[in-house]
Amino acid sequence: MLSDVLVLHFSQGERRTRVHSLGLRCSRHLVDTFRNSQAETLLSFYCKRAYCAVLDRPLQAVRDELVTELTEALACYRQHCSSTALTHGQLVLPQCLKALPVYVNSLRKSEVLLPGQRSSVPQRLQLRGQLVAMDPAHTAAYFYPELLPLPLCEQSVGDGAPAAAVRCSGSSLDSRGLYLAHSSLALLLWVGEHVPLSVLSQLFNASSFSQLPCGECRLPTLDNPLSLRVRAVIQTLRSCTAFTLKLQVVKQGDHSEEALRHLLVEDKSPNGGASYPDFLYHVHINSLQLLA
């Protein structure tokens, strides 16, 4: 049990004492540690620690430390906690931490730790301040955005909930579809170049793909099921974040797609960060070498 006592003095002479107590469960079994861990909580801890360390440590050293800790954790789980027979090259991840590698890879190639050519120091400082102040849920939503396919016909519009999110990769995008990419700090609407003209008319009041606006915009208020449904989904996503998000329209093949590529965290990032499959393979090989 950990306790912290805070004494408050007021100008009226009043004095108050506040006691904060924290009880932490302990275990003699390492497997319990992995079983009760949360990937989102670890991501939030890694993010805050790394973003504080960038003020006095080289960025490469901070990125390498993240990889080393993840590698050691996977090696430890493989050696001490795996209950099934494994082949030499088989990848094994803790059930509760299966999302941790993709989170860590997204963190290590973020603009703060791996700045791109168009990233200025004030922008990185602002982003650092916003993320350090985020709770675990919003931190996870930033480092692995939602990629939501939007309905294109009245049948899919009328069934209520939006379609389930797809993997945050360019391979998930269909040129005949519409997708909302949503993180804690961004809201993008990607429009494929082969979307039916009827959809463009109902949603944007546009008669062709070339007439669509790019960048920040507000969808026109049109009285049809598709427009009503898409605007409702956008409003729902906005209500889930602590920041006011402006909608940004991104057209397939347009230069504005660079903003979307920063959100597709499973792909190789524009600033040179590794794709998730490449990173996972690298970490897996390193964990095997630790046990050799």
Side-chain angles (χ1 to χ4, degrees), residues 128-198:
R128 174 187 174 275
Q130 290 172 324
L131 286 167
V132 167
M134 282 186 186
D135 59 24
H138 285 92
T139 302
Y142 175 81
F143 286 107
Y144 197 90
E146 282 188 310
L147 190 59
L148 300 172
L150 293 178
L152 299 182
C153 58
E154 293 187 7
Q155 289 78 6
S156 57
V157 169
D159 61 6
V166 296
R167 298 192 65 156
C168 208
S169 169
S171 61
S172 300
L173 300 175
D174 186 347
S175 63
R176 298 166 296 180
L178 299 170
Y179 296 83
L180 272 174
H182 170 250
S183 76
S184 302
L185 298 176
L187 181 60
L188 276 65
L189 174 57
W190 184 84
V191 184
E193 60 182 346
H194 296 137
V195 170
L197 296 181
S198 59

Side-chain angles (χ1 to χ4, degrees), residues 17-51:
T17 302
R18 176 174 293 178
V19 179
H20 298 269
S21 298
L22 174 65
L24 301 176
R25 297 180 60 184
C26 300
S27 175
R28 296 179 180 272
H29 305 288
L30 187 59
V31 67
D32 291 335
T33 302
F34 286 99
R35 185 180 295 124
N36 293 283
S37 298
Q38 292 181 332
E40 292 76 15
T41 303
L42 286 174
L43 170 65
S44 182
F45 167 73
Y46 286 148
C47 174
K48 289 174 171 55
R49 188 186 63 179
Y51 280 13

